[in-house]
Amino acid sequence: MTYYVTTPIYYVNAEPHLGHAYSTIAADILARHMRQRGEDVFFQTGTDEHGEPTALAAEREGVSPKELADRNSARFRELMPKINVSNDFFIRTSDPEHIAKVQEVMQRVHDNGHVYEGVYEGWYCPRCADFKTESELGPGNTCPIHEIELERQREENWFFRLSSFQDDLERLYEERPGFVVPEFRRNEALAFIKGGLEDVSLSRPNLSWGVPLPWDPGQVMYVWFDALLNYYTSLSYAREGEDLTDRFWPCDLHVLAKDILKFHAVIWPALLMAAGIERPRRMVIHGFLLMGEKKMSKSLGNVLDPFEVIDRFGADPLRFYCFREVSFGQDGSIAPSGFETRYESELANDYGNLASRTLAMIERYRDGVVPDAAPDAALAGGEDGLEGISAQVQELLDRVELTQALDAIWRRVRRLNRYVEEARPWDLAKDEGEAERLDQVLYSLAEGLRVVTLLLLPYIPETAEKLLDALGEESRELAELGSRGGGARIERIAPLFPKIETDA
Ligand code: MSP
């Protein structure tokens, strides 16, 4: 089975911030998890380089759009390994292959009769690269996202007949109730469609930084058409000499935040219908990371630089924190002090201690070899028992419940710690007559730790890899409690989450 997952492609008008890292890590968690399940995964991220946001930012900095795009796209690309993201491809919409493919698809949309020439008059936000309806405007004709005053624009455009897809879109939503998750976002998109769709601008005159319309090269494509198509175009050139389109299209999952819901949940499926291309299977809409009360965003000047956070805490703690602290799908505030607390109490204390105690006791009491025994029923069953945990997490991740899945795993980490306290292996070790019982306890601990660590791998890949190696586990496939016998040789390792320097 194949699994194709994407992130939004990010604007290059500014450097990456933690909000961009967040969506990308979400997609990475799913990609890694699916690889563990043996799926043939393709995971893509990249940069959205055309259009006014980039052209304007370049002008402000006195460089060409391409120069700015090269510089900032490189920053996004560098971010990926820094946050332990395992993307299979990084698309740039300035790639010549992308541009050619976009033109090919849009020519089809044109030839199928879904475009016409007209005059656009209305409000336009150059930062969103989006036209705003009267009802979307903030006080004083401002952009509700960027809080800047908008100008009324009038221009000759080509239009895309979005309105003619109203019925088809309603049918799509009816036939596929899970097309957009979570459900409240699906309802929002459907309400927007049912409210009546207006045609949308497809091109802009007087802009040079973009993809020229093949049938009217004097106009460049409105950046969203060029951008949305990235999910499709890349498959034709991501692997040299190979076209991956048949293998991976339709895409299994688009990950994005609520700010770009309308483009993905309304315009994108309509555009694909117009071009005669299959629709993606599903999209998941998450909330915003907030700093205090406000969305973290470059234009509001309240961003956390992921590079700095990682230098202090490491990538895995950042990944863990984002999905533990903020319930995936909802908005949620984050703060450096919150990182510190979760790092100490959960990563270092709950998990790090469990790992070092388990490894140390196997070393001390069993010469570094995991004894052979059956899993302790006390650990397998009961509240937060480990039995069936992998199946449960798979089910949650199939529903893209990233925070709930992590919570299910974490409850087992805590259960394992309680198990150590209940079973008291240090007392058992003092009594020869308890040797078999000690075997069972140590086996159950090593086995439980192995199972939860395999499940944690998508969230904290670097740490999990280290610990699985130390547990003598070579496979990365998901496993249930008791599926590996004894006999593995373990290794002692340095603390997984050492004390960090704090500002205080
Ligand atoms: N280029 C368009 C997307 C085109 S996709 C075909 C764009 N770019 S963007 O740089 O503005 O990125 C927006 C996306 O970045 C959001 O949808 C979200 O995935 C992520 N985030 C940006 N700021 C964020 C937060 N503060 N919190 C969570 N995610 C955020 O829109």
Side-chain angles (χ1 to χ4, degrees), residues 1-2 74 85 132 136 140 147 243 254 326 344 436 442 449 464:
M1 290 270 281
T2 58
V85 156
K132 306 282 171 190
E136 285 171 330
E147 301 178 356
D243 191 327
H254 296 311
V326 178
E344 283 288 318
E436 224 171 283
L442 294 178
L449 186 59

Side-chain angles (χ1 to χ4, degrees), residues 126-191:
R127 297 260 184 90
C128 292
D130 190 12
F131 301 93
K132 306 282 171 190
T133 61
E134 296 284 342
S135 64
E136 285 171 330
L137 292 179
N141 300 326
T142 51
C143 166
I145 296 169
H146 294 99
E147 301 178 356
I148 53 170
E149 213 173 298
L150 303 186
E151 280 175 19
R152 228 179 139 69
Q153 298 230 357
R154 186 192 148 82
E155 57 185 39
E156 304 252 320
N157 283 344
W158 284 86
F159 281 81
F160 171 57
R161 284 186 209 282
L162 181 62
S163 61
S164 69
F165 290 94
Q166 171 109 22
D167 293 345
D168 291 326
L169 286 172
E170 285 185 27
R171 199 165 324 116
L172 171 71
Y173 274 75
E174 232 164 73
E175 285 169 1
R176 290 210 241 149
F179 182 58
V180 175
V181 292
E183 203 183 345
F184 74 102
R185 295 289 177 208
R186 170 198 182 260
N187 295 340
E188 210 177 299
L190 187 56

